[in-house]
Amino acid sequence: MMKRQILTRDEKKALPFILPGVIVTMLLIAYPLFYIFRMSFTDQSAGGAFAGFYNYQRLFHNPQFIKAVLNTVKWTLSTVIFSFGLGTLYAMLIHRKGIRFKGFWRSGIFIAWIIPGVVKATAWKWLLTTDGGMANHILQSLGLIKEPIPWLTTPQFALLSLIIVQIWACSPYVMLMMTAGLQQLPADLYESADLDGASWWQKMRYITMPLLKDISFICILMLLVWAINEFSLIWIMTSGGQNTTTLSLLVYNQFKILNLNGASASAVMQLLTTMIFAVLYVKFVIKEE
């Protein structure tokens, strides 16, 4: 009996073309990841000696760590759920028959996505300034509020303001993806549903969303990763103050004071948090199927 070759002839020919990309990936991702793991178990003050779980123990006893984890969970769940919902709503409304200038509306909404993150954060910081900010000025002009709202200077509103900005920034991506999916849906399914007297909600529940499941999976997974790793928006608007510090800012704060071992341990915990969210979501999707 002939033994099966590990690589086929065509795969051997493709190997030289794939190998450079694999090597670059290992250098840019695998090695830094290994280095961070190693740093989290060592002590630079002791000449890089093995420290076991000492850095993690210090991290868990840090009051800022618990707050950062809770803020990260609130931030992630809120931004993912509402970004996906709003983006899907945009796509559904613009895709409807009878809507004119669809390209114009999509382009206008998509501007929020293509604007650089630093520009978005800086602009919103100006808009939400307590004294002289345009948001408070408009609300006061309309008679909706009497006193300026301290959007970014109190814990009551700071995290909420950041969540609103993130939803505004990420929902256009969902709109674009869902629009691409809606344009590929077969029209005959909806015609059959209309003949059977299906309502709008029934068509949405039993036709549209099941057929868009794969696209929805990609959108939510990307939103999860972006939310957990978001740094520039939070740092520019609040610098982590007013109880808005997330795990990404905690890593930066540790690095800023040259606590490289603590920063590495925080980065590992951020990675584990991302993996937990992703695994739970993937398991939920598989269970639904």
Side-chain angles (χ1 to χ4, degrees):
M1 181 182 289
M2 294 180 62
K3 292 183 178 180
R4 185 181 179 274
Q5 292 182 344
I6 297 176
L7 295 176
T8 64
R9 194 174 185 180
D10 291 336
E11 288 172 343
K12 289 180 179 178
K13 290 181 179 179
L15 194 59
F17 298 96
I18 299 173
L19 199 57
V22 173
I23 294 173
V24 171
T25 302
M26 293 292 290
L27 291 174
L28 296 180
I29 298 177
Y31 175 73
L33 192 61
F34 167 77
Y35 185 77
I36 288 174
F37 270 104
R38 188 176 69 84
M39 285 283 291
S40 69
F41 289 101
T42 58
D43 186 1
Q44 291 299 107
S45 62
F50 180 72
F53 290 95
Y54 174 72
N55 294 311
Y56 291 96
Q57 290 175 350
R58 288 187 61 189
L59 181 65
F60 293 148
H61 286 89
N62 184 355
Q64 292 298 320
F65 173 71
I66 303 300
K67 291 181 180 180
V69 171
L70 293 176
N71 287 339
T72 301
V73 172
K74 294 176 187 177
W75 161 266
T76 301
L77 292 178
S78 300
T79 56
V80 170
I81 292 171
F82 288 103
S83 294
F84 181 77
L86 184 60
T88 302
L89 180 62
Y90 284 153
M92 297 290 185
L93 291 176
I94 299 175
H95 186 70
R96 294 184 65 182
K97 293 181 181 179
I99 301 296
R100 302 179 63 186
F101 311 113
K102 294 183 178 181
F104 171 78
W105 298 117
R106 288 171 183 148
S107 300
I109 294 172
F110 198 65
I111 289 175
W113 169 253
I114 61 177
I115 294 175
V118 174
V119 177
K120 283 186 281 196
T122 304
W124 275 100
K125 185 177 182 179
W126 290 341
L127 289 172
L128 297 176
T129 301
T130 304
D131 297 319
M134 188 177 293
N136 281 330
H137 175 72
I138 293 173
L139 292 175
Q140 286 180 308
S141 299
L142 295 175
L144 298 177
I145 59 173
K146 294 182 179 180
E147 298 293 330
I149 298 175
W151 296 104
L152 303 175
T153 53
T154 59
Q156 181 182 1
F157 295 105
L159 186 60
L160 175 62
S161 301
L162 294 175
I163 289 171
I164 291 173
V165 175
Q166 180 76 351
I167 293 169
W168 169 81
C170 292
S171 57
Y173 165 78
V174 179
M175 179 202 69
L176 182 68
M177 296 291 287
M178 298 300 278
T179 298
L182 288 170
Q183 292 175 346
Q184 301 301 318
L185 297 183
D188 56 333
L189 290 178
Y190 292 93
E191 293 172 359
S192 300
D194 290 333
L195 292 175
D196 292 335
S199 64
W200 175 85
W201 170 247
Q202 288 174 325
K203 288 186 286 186
M204 174 70 67
R205 181 179 178 183
Y206 296 108
I207 299 177
T208 305
M209 295 313 296
L211 292 177
L212 294 176
K213 183 181 292 185
D214 292 339
I215 295 177
S216 300
F217 174 81
I218 295 172
C219 287
I220 293 177
L221 201 58
M222 293 301 295
L223 290 172
L224 278 171
V225 175
W226 291 335
I228 295 174
N229 293 303
E230 180 59 50
F231 173 81
S232 60
L233 178 70
I234 304 173
W235 177 253
I236 292 172
M237 293 186 68
T238 64
S239 299
Q242 306 303 329
N243 196 27
T244 59
T245 297
T246 58
L247 285 172
S248 59
L249 267 74
L250 185 65
V251 175
Y252 174 76
N253 290 336
Q254 297 280 352
F255 182 79
K256 188 168 62 174
I257 60 175
L258 299 180
N259 183 9
L260 302 183
N261 301 117
S264 299
S266 301
V268 171
M269 295 307 301
Q270 183 181 359
L271 175 62
L272 290 176
T273 303
T274 305
M275 293 175 64
I276 289 171
F277 270 104
V279 169
L280 289 176
Y281 174 62
V282 170
K283 283 190 173 182
F284 173 77
V285 171
I286 293 174
K287 185 178 179 181
E288 288 291 314
E289 292 178 351

